[in-house]
Amino acid sequence: MSYHTVMMKPLDNVAIALANIPEGEELTIVCQEHTFKVLLLEGIEFGHKFTVKPIAAGGDILKYGEVIGAATRDIQVGEHVHVHNLEGKRGRGDQHVAI
């Protein structure tokens, strides 16, 4: 089965599921001239993020070309990205957001 996803900028390290996608699904994510092969390590619900590139603990999480937070631990390709492994930076005076 083919699942629709969205990834806006090649520098992003997450993509968004546009449908519920089961664990174990192999996806091909195309963003401009870049192609990413992803094996989902977890089921991803509609509207949720998953990694297309590994993210080190403390590393920026990029969605739509913008920093949306930092990884609270190492996150492997194909993992769900949500409040359990992401700490927001927006609106925090103690965090500087730069790309």
Side-chain angles (χ1 to χ4, degrees), residues 66-88:
E66 299 288 331
V67 175
I68 62 165
T72 59
R73 61 170 177 79
D74 291 344
I75 307 173
Q76 299 177 58
V77 171
E79 280 192 74
H80 183 214
V81 176
H82 201 52
V83 297
H84 66 286
N85 56 13
L86 174 150
E87 178 179 67

Side-chain angles (χ1 to χ4, degrees), residues 24-96:
E25 198 65 37
E26 293 183 32
L27 305 173
T28 300
I29 312 299
V30 178
C31 181
Q32 297 177 21
E33 68 280 356
H34 301 275
T35 301
F36 303 90
K37 298 287 187 180
V38 176
L39 172 65
L40 289 183
L41 303 178
E42 308 172 64
I44 307 297
E45 293 183 15
F46 169 80
H48 283 245
K49 299 172 291 302
F50 60 93
T51 51
V52 297
K53 302 173 190 173
I55 306 169
D60 286 337
I61 297 174
L62 295 142
K63 173 182 161 186
Y64 305 147
E66 299 288 331
V67 175
I68 62 165
T72 59
R73 61 170 177 79
D74 291 344
I75 307 173
Q76 299 177 58
V77 171
E79 280 192 74
H80 183 214
V81 176
H82 201 52
V83 297
H84 66 286
N85 56 13
L86 174 150
E87 178 179 67
K89 286 186 173 182
R90 291 180 180 254
R92 288 185 55 177
D94 65 331
Q95 298 288 324
H96 175 69

Side-chain angles (χ1 to χ4, degrees), residues 1 7 9 16 18 23 27 41 44 75 78 89:
M1 180 170 196
M7 182 178 170
K9 306 279 184 173
I16 311 305
L18 299 180
E23 176 182 345
L27 305 173
L41 303 178
I44 307 297
I75 307 173
K89 286 186 173 182

